[in-house]
Amino acid sequence: MKTQDNRRNIALVGFMGTGKTTVSAWLRDNLGLKEVDTDALIVEREGMAIKDIFALQGEEGFRDRESAAIASLADRRGLVIACGGGAVLRQENVRSLKESSVIVLLTAAPETVLERVRHSDERPLLNGHMDADYIRGLMEKRRAAYEAAADVTVVTDGRAVEDIAKEICAFAFQE
Ligand code: S3P
């Protein structure tokens, strides 16, 4: 399947808990795209959970691995790439994704994000900060980076995955 302007991958970016993994699975199952989750790729390569990489290597160590994972996808096509929530913080990642992918920004209100992530301890940046105000603050710090990366923005609050995915397809596969 060809995306508009031939970039051929769909990259999902956005804050933690905006539904990247769920939407990516839908696109995999319904469009036959191959799914790559950058966090899963890092875990596989390092043989370690994300929170352990943060604990041992710090956030910068994790970001270096994230950049390497994204760079390794540069020549691949026909993918849906679920990016970690901080992937857009490095320009090199955005540049690489833009060359190969239509970049879809998923958004959700801080309260929605909190509802979706509060039972997990797998996100080191939120451990000890499980509240809507903290989430709102971090989201605001990142807002410009998310918006600069996005080709299109899709709101996810209160919506079924199918509805979200169809909006993405209408944009990504337009003639
Ligand atoms: C992060 C988001 C996480 C993961 C890591 C850092 C972030 O991915 O990459 O914990 O900085 O926003 P998800 O967005 O899939 O939770």
Side-chain angles (χ1 to χ4, degrees):
M1 187 173 306
K2 265 181 156 175
T3 55
Q4 51 133 320
D5 66 27
N6 263 346
R7 281 181 287 177
R8 295 181 199 244
N9 298 330
I10 294 179
L12 302 175
V13 302
F15 201 79
M16 296 168 268
T18 52
K20 300 178 299 281
T21 305
T22 309
V23 172
S24 154
W26 193 99
L27 295 172
R28 174 198 67 208
D29 292 343
N30 291 277
L31 300 185
L33 295 171
K34 286 207 182 67
E35 183 184 31
V36 178
D37 178 303
T38 60
D39 282 348
L41 194 54
I42 296 164
V43 168
E44 188 185 305
R45 287 182 172 179
E46 299 298 316
M48 229 191 281
I50 299 291
K51 61 180 175 184
D52 296 329
I53 299 173
F54 267 76
L56 284 172
Q57 315 286 340
E59 181 170 349
E60 280 308 294
F62 171 77
R63 298 288 171 217
D64 289 344
R65 285 158 180 78
E66 182 170 60
S67 295
I70 290 170
S72 75
L73 302 174
D75 296 330
R76 305 267 306 273
R77 296 295 182 267
L79 303 180
V80 53
I81 305 170
C83 297
V88 298
L89 299 175
R90 285 194 178 175
Q91 269 315 302
E92 64 191 277
N93 300 342
V94 175
R95 264 198 304 275
S96 171
L97 289 169
K98 271 199 185 293
E99 276 177 22
S100 66
S101 311
V102 174
I103 302 184
V104 178
L105 170 63
L106 299 182
T107 69
E111 292 74 13
T112 307
V113 167
L114 179 61
E115 212 35 59
R116 292 177 183 164
V117 304
R118 56 202 280 256
H119 296 301
S120 166
D121 68 352
E122 292 295 322
R123 295 181 178 87
L125 296 179
L126 295 182
N127 289 343
H129 301 289
M130 278 295 175
D131 64 85
D133 283 343
Y134 184 83
I135 290 170
R136 183 174 295 108
L138 188 53
M139 233 180 221
E140 279 308 318
K141 276 191 201 150
R142 292 179 172 186
R143 177 185 297 279
Y146 285 130
E147 290 177 354
D151 291 308
V152 64
T153 301
V154 178
V155 177
T156 67
D157 302 85
R159 296 177 71 185
V161 58
E162 187 174 6
D163 187 32
I164 296 165
K166 286 185 173 162
E167 184 178 338
I168 294 170
C169 292
F171 178 83
F173 300 114
Q174 67 198 344
E175 289 303 318

